[in-house]
Amino acid sequence: MYQNQEYPFPCLCCHPQSYIRMVHNLIERCLVLGMDRDQCVKTLTIHARIRPLVTITVWRELMKETKDFFQAYFSNISSRPSLSVQREPRFGRRKQY
C-alpha cells in the first residue's frame, strides 16, 4: 500500500486520494498552529517531504471550499501580535575577563 516501510506515507502516484487526504490533514494541523501558507509549505517540505506544489495546490482547493473560514483565519492571524521579537537569551554567555 505504501512506498516502503521506512517512509509510511502513501505514494502520490499509487494512491493519490490517500496522499491528498494526508496533505489535507497536515495542512489542518498547520492551521491549528497558526501558520500561514508559506510557513505550512516550508514545514511540510522539511518534515513530511511533501513537494511545495502539492501543498500549494491542496491549500488552494481548501480555500475554494471554505472561503469564510480562511477569511476569518487570515484576519485572526493578522490581528495577533508578532512573535518574531528578538529576546535576550535566558542564559547568556559569560564574559571572559
Side-chain angles (χ1 to χ4, degrees):
M1 180 173 174
Y2 299 122
Q3 287 176 327
N4 60 34
Q5 297 302 327
E6 293 176 18
Y7 195 64
F9 295 130
C11 172
L12 179 59
C13 299
C14 303
H15 305 283
Q17 291 176 339
S18 297
Y19 190 83
I20 291 169
R21 193 174 319 114
M22 177 197 66
V23 174
H24 178 144
N25 290 333
L26 292 172
I27 289 172
E28 287 180 351
R29 288 183 182 189
C30 291
L31 293 172
V32 168
L33 295 172
M35 295 183 187
D36 63 14
R37 189 189 78 176
D38 294 337
Q39 291 170 328
C40 180
V41 169
K42 184 176 179 180
T43 300
L44 295 186
T45 300
I46 293 169
H47 297 289
R49 298 180 189 161
I50 296 171
R51 287 181 255 160
L53 182 61
V54 175
T55 304
I56 291 169
T57 303
V58 175
W59 183 284
R60 284 182 186 153
E61 290 301 314
L62 286 172
M63 285 184 67
K64 285 180 188 175
E65 293 174 9
T66 56
K67 290 179 184 179
D68 296 336
F69 168 79
F70 276 96
Q71 287 175 348
Y73 180 77
F74 291 133
S75 67
N76 186 20
I77 285 181
S78 64
S79 66
R80 288 186 195 173
S82 176
L83 297 177
S84 63
V85 175
Q86 294 288 342
R87 291 191 208 173
E88 289 295 320
R90 188 170 178 188
F91 301 105
R93 295 178 95 182
R94 289 186 175 186
K95 294 181 181 178
Q96 294 182 356
Y97 297 100

